[in-house]
């Protein structure tokens, strides 16, 4: 048989298939492969468009004629990329992302360490890259991807990304503020009240103002019929808000709010846009950025229509440092996360969790992750050994000794199992992964800043806007300053000839007329999704 030639980027592997449909597409010399390797390779002989991961490893030898792939339509069945620090997880994300982009699929990547920005630039040819390409029969050509760069609240290098407190919702905000279950429920009550009364919570000062009002003598009666709000709980929420602001990241909450539809775009040449959220400047605040990633996903779920099974995903979303989502999470949060992951597949979105071990992900979520790329694990301590055994149990039956294999994999090697085109798990395959074709490292900061300012989105989101919202409506034309809103105000004697703040804002049927006047802007009641997130009609 003739030598195998790698199909062009963005095409299917069918051009390289043999006439025997039981043989893998990429196999040019089937007799040269051991029988067990043949059986594994045949599980990756797909007929439709695929992503190329690398070449099969068997008995310590790389077999480049047996290629390991993921069917493109199966990317919305979710996945897990796991492995110890330094084993190559980031490069695997880069490899998958650039191939998705080449096939017209938008990608979202969270750049926690600041080393993913290189996906926008062509890679550098060197001896290591050329050696890896030769080992796995990869036709390597340097190529960058069309990319947009974002930063939470403009902290760091990127287009500022903001969310309003109203749309963020009580469940996610409770996780950021580290509230307990009782406090979370009280915060939900506060959001419900604000939604009902047309008090938009745009930024944190709006939320402080509403909490302060509801615990004042004038406002505490407003919540008696739906549970009330204790002064002690309100005090905890206010102190948590103050501490959160003291970390210098309160600017994340505000307007203009980021429209997650921006993540679904393609470039003029048809390639999928890679949206990179730069998190290096806030990597010491993992609870914030991990929860924000969940807000993005929940917002997409809220807005996207049902599409069922699709030929290619609308978006593939990578949740880096995924274990942070689950640490200290309430049952309500975990239930909402599980249901979001389960249902968002039918909206054409694939979600990949990126973490160190499979045990970092709750069983209900892990069961929905059909595609697995597991890099090397360490077994230096009893806890490591326990995690290793737990990881092995999550894989299908295998011809490998997975405990031994997972501790012996090199950098850029992984154990792979994915869903076939029929939705069945493929055989477990030890794989030497391909080299990314984009730059494996960060781009120059100056170049990054220039790209951000040149973006058409920069003018839309760069400048924060502070319009009238709950704070201004409760502030009685600015009579109180922001500092006075941080704690419940002391009661003041009411005068018959001087209407109080409450009378001006919520008394004498004011809320009903306010709700009617705002009907075309936010509706009479905000409908919240699984995470308690909410979307207003964008202006």
């Amino acid at each position: 048989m003739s030598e195998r030639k790698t199909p062009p980027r963005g095409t299917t592997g069918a051009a390289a298939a043999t006439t025997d449909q039981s043989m893998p597409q990429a196999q040019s010399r089937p007799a040269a492969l051991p029988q067990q390797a043949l059986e594994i390779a045949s599980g990756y002989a797909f007929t439709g468009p695929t992503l190329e991961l690398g070449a099969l490893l068997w008995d310590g030898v790389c077999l480049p004629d047996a290629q390991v792939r993921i069917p493109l339509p199966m990317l919305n069945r979710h996945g897990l990329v796991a492995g110890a620090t330094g084993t190559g997880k980031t490069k695997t994300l880069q490899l998958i992302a650039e191939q998705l982009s080449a096939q017209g699929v938008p990608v979202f990547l969270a750049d926690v360490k600041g080393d993913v920005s290189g996906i926008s630039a062509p890679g550098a040819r060197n001896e290591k890259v050329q050696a890896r390409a030769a080992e796995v029969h990869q036709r390597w050509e340097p190529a960058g991807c069309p990319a947009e760069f974002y930063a939470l609240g403009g902290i760091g290098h990127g287009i500022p990304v903001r969310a309003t407190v109203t749309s963020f919702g009580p469940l996610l905000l409770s996780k950021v503020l580290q509230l307990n279950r009782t406090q979370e429920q009280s915060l939900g009550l506060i959001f419900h009240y604000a939604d009902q009364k047309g008090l938009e919570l745009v930024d944190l000062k709006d939320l402080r103002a509403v909490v302060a009002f509801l615990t004042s003598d004038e406002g505490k009666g407003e919540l008696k019929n739906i549970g009330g709000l204790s002064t002690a709980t309100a005090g905890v929420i206010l102190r948590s808000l103050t501490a959160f602001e003291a970390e210098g990241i309160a600017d994340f909450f505000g307007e203009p709010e980021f429209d997650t539809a921006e993540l679904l775009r393609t470039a003029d040449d048809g390639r999928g846009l890679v949206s990179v959220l730069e998190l290096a400047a806030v990597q010491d605040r993992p609870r914030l950025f991990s929860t924000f990633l969940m807000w993005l996903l929940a917002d997409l779920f809220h807005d996207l229509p049902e599409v069922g099974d699709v030929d290619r995903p609308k978006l593939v979303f990578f949740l880096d440092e995924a274990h942070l989502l689950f640490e200290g999470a309430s049952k309500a949060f975990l239930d909402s996360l599980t249901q979001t992951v389960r249902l968002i597949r039918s909206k054409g979105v694939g979600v990949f969790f990126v973490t160190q071990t499979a045990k970092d992900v709750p069983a209900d979520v892990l069961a929905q992750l059909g595609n697995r790329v597991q890099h090397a694990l360490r077994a230096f301590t009893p806890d490591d050994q326990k995690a290793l055994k737990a990881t092995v149990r999550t894989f299908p039956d295998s011809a490998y000794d997975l405990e031994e294999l997972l501790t012996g994999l090199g950098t850029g090697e992984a154990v792979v199992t994915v869903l076939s085109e029929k939705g069945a798990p493929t055989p477990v395959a030890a794989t030497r992964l391909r080299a990314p074709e984009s730059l494996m490292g960060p781009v120059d900061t100056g170049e990054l800043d220039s790209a951000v300012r040149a973006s058409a989105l920069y003018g839309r989101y760069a400048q924060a806007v502070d319009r009238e919202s709950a704070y201004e409506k409760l502030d009685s034309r600015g009579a109180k300053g922001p500092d006075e809103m941080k704690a419940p105000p002391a009661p003041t004697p009411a005068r018959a000839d001087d209407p109080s703040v409450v009378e001006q804002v919520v008394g004498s049927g004011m809320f009903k007329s306010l709700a009617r006047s705002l009907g075309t802007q936010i509706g009479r009641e905000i409908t919240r999704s699984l995470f308690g997130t909410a979307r207003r009609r964008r202006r």
Side-chain angles (χ1 to χ4, degrees):
M1 297 180 68
S2 60
E3 281 290 319
R4 170 188 177 275
K5 294 184 179 180
T6 305
R9 289 172 61 87
T11 66
T12 71
T18 63
T19 56
D20 184 352
Q21 293 302 309
S22 67
M23 298 298 180
Q25 294 174 327
Q27 189 165 316
S28 57
R29 295 185 297 274
L33 297 179
Q35 181 60 35
Q36 286 178 302
L38 276 172
E39 293 173 359
I40 295 172
S42 66
Y44 293 86
F46 307 125
T47 59
T50 62
L51 306 185
E52 304 282 347
L53 291 181
L56 183 68
L57 286 170
W58 182 258
D59 199 20
V61 178
C62 181
L63 305 175
D65 293 318
Q67 293 289 308
V68 178
R69 306 177 173 88
I70 304 179
L72 184 62
M74 292 295 109
L75 268 293
N76 72 329
R77 300 296 183 92
H78 310 319
L80 175 73
V81 177
T85 301
T87 55
K89 295 192 300 294
T90 300
K91 300 303 177 286
T92 298
L93 303 188
Q94 200 166 338
L95 173 67
I96 295 174
E98 62 189 24
Q99 292 188 67
L100 285 168
S101 174
Q103 300 205 48
V105 179
V107 177
F108 174 88
L109 293 174
D111 187 6
V112 178
K113 294 174 289 189
D115 56 356
V116 181
S117 59
I119 198 167
S120 63
R125 191 184 300 274
N126 56 46
E127 291 183 4
K128 288 185 177 180
V129 167
Q130 290 180 306
R132 175 56 63 94
E135 288 173 344
V136 300
H137 282 188
Q138 175 186 8
R139 189 176 62 189
W140 189 91
E141 293 292 340
C145 300
E148 292 276 17
F149 298 95
Y150 301 97
L152 290 187
I155 303 170
H157 304 279
I159 298 165
V161 174
R162 304 179 185 88
T164 65
V165 173
T166 284
S167 70
F168 205 72
L171 272 182
L172 296 178
L173 188 59
S174 293
K175 192 171 191 303
V176 171
L177 298 178
Q178 303 183 54
L179 303 181
N180 64 28
R181 178 59 177 160
T182 299
Q183 294 154 2
E184 178 186 279
Q185 291 172 336
S186 295
L187 187 61
L189 192 65
I190 294 166
F191 271 76
H192 175 72
Y193 176 81
D195 291 348
Q196 289 282 334
K197 303 302 184 181
L199 293 171
E200 290 185 84
L201 306 177
V202 174
D203 51 27
L204 294 182
K205 73 176 186 296
D206 291 321
L207 180 57
R208 282 204 313 270
V210 173
V211 176
F213 165 70
L214 290 175
T215 53
S216 69
D217 285 348
E218 295 173 313
K220 63 176 58 175
E222 292 288 320
L223 286 180
K224 282 185 178 180
N225 293 331
I226 51 175
L229 177 67
S230 74
T231 302
T233 300
V236 171
I237 294 173
L238 290 171
R239 287 192 296 272
S240 297
L241 289 170
T242 300
F244 183 77
E245 289 182 291
E247 294 181 4
I249 47 180
D251 288 343
F252 162 65
F253 290 103
E255 290 183 321
E257 184 171 69
F258 182 68
D259 186 349
T260 51
E262 311 286 9
L263 304 179
L264 304 173
R265 295 178 297 142
T266 56
D268 292 339
D269 60 5
R271 289 183 295 167
L273 196 66
V274 180
S275 299
V276 181
L277 181 65
E278 294 288 332
L279 296 171
V282 294
Q283 61 180 302
D284 57 337
R285 298 151 175 122
R287 191 177 297 269
L288 170 67
F289 71 70
S290 64
T291 309
F292 168 73
L293 296 180
M294 207 62 234
W295 174 77
L296 285 177
L297 196 61
D299 189 72
L300 286 165
F301 175 81
H302 192 278
D303 284 358
L304 289 175
E306 295 280 339
V307 295
D309 292 329
V310 290
D311 292 336
R312 66 187 63 229
K314 288 186 175 182
L315 174 72
V316 176
F317 196 98
F318 290 93
L319 284 166
D320 204 359
E321 301 291 341
H323 65 283
L324 298 170
L325 283 172
F326 310 111
E327 291 179 357
S330 67
K331 184 179 185 302
F333 181 93
L334 292 177
D335 289 346
S336 295
L337 189 154
T338 302
Q339 194 167 359
T340 298
V341 173
R342 180 182 296 120
L343 297 177
I344 203 169
R345 177 182 72 82
S346 64
K347 300 196 173 190
V349 177
V351 183
F352 274 69
F353 292 83
V354 185
T355 187
Q356 294 204 3
T357 70
K359 77 180 188 68
D360 292 336
V361 181
D364 288 345
V365 177
L366 188 63
Q368 300 175 57
L369 310 183
N371 304 297
R372 301 277 299 278
V373 181
Q374 175 68 60
H375 288 265
L377 292 174
R378 311 302 181 209
F380 300 139
T381 69
D383 285 345
D384 290 341
Q385 293 169 1
K386 185 177 179 181
L388 173 62
K389 291 180 182 295
T391 297
V392 169
R393 288 196 296 269
T394 64
F395 279 91
D397 291 340
S398 167
Y400 298 94
D401 181 343
L402 287 181
E403 284 194 36
E404 180 179 351
L405 178 61
L406 286 173
T407 56
L409 291 171
T411 302
E413 296 176 349
V415 172
V416 174
T417 179
V418 302
L419 292 181
S420 71
E421 292 164 314
K422 295 181 179 180
T426 59
V428 175
T431 307
R432 182 160 291 164
L433 299 169
R434 293 182 167 218
E437 297 183 346
S438 53
L439 182 63
M440 290 188 278
V443 298
D444 179 76
T445 301
E447 294 179 14
L448 181 58
D449 288 338
S450 296
V452 169
R453 289 186 172 83
S455 169
L457 301 183
Y458 185 75
R460 188 180 308 170
Y461 294 109
Q463 187 62 46
V465 176
D466 187 12
R467 62 182 177 85
E468 184 183 59
S469 49
Y471 172 80
E472 286 77 16
K473 292 170 184 175
L474 292 172
D475 191 40
S476 185
R477 299 183 300 276
K480 296 184 179 71
D483 291 340
E484 295 178 76
M485 287 292 180
K486 291 182 180 178
T492 54
R495 299 187 308 177
D497 58 345
D498 186 12
S500 67
V501 174
V502 182
E503 290 171 330
Q504 294 179 45
V505 180
V506 299
S508 304
M510 179 62 181
F511 277 123
K512 293 181 180 179
S513 62
L514 180 61
R516 285 193 296 270
S517 66
L518 295 178
T520 59
Q521 298 179 39
I522 63 173
R524 296 179 183 272
E525 181 177 359
I526 295 176
T527 301
R528 295 190 174 273
S529 62
L530 292 174
F531 268 103
T533 57
R535 304 302 291 164
R536 292 175 290 104
R537 186 181 300 276
R538 296 187 186 279
R539 286 182 282 275

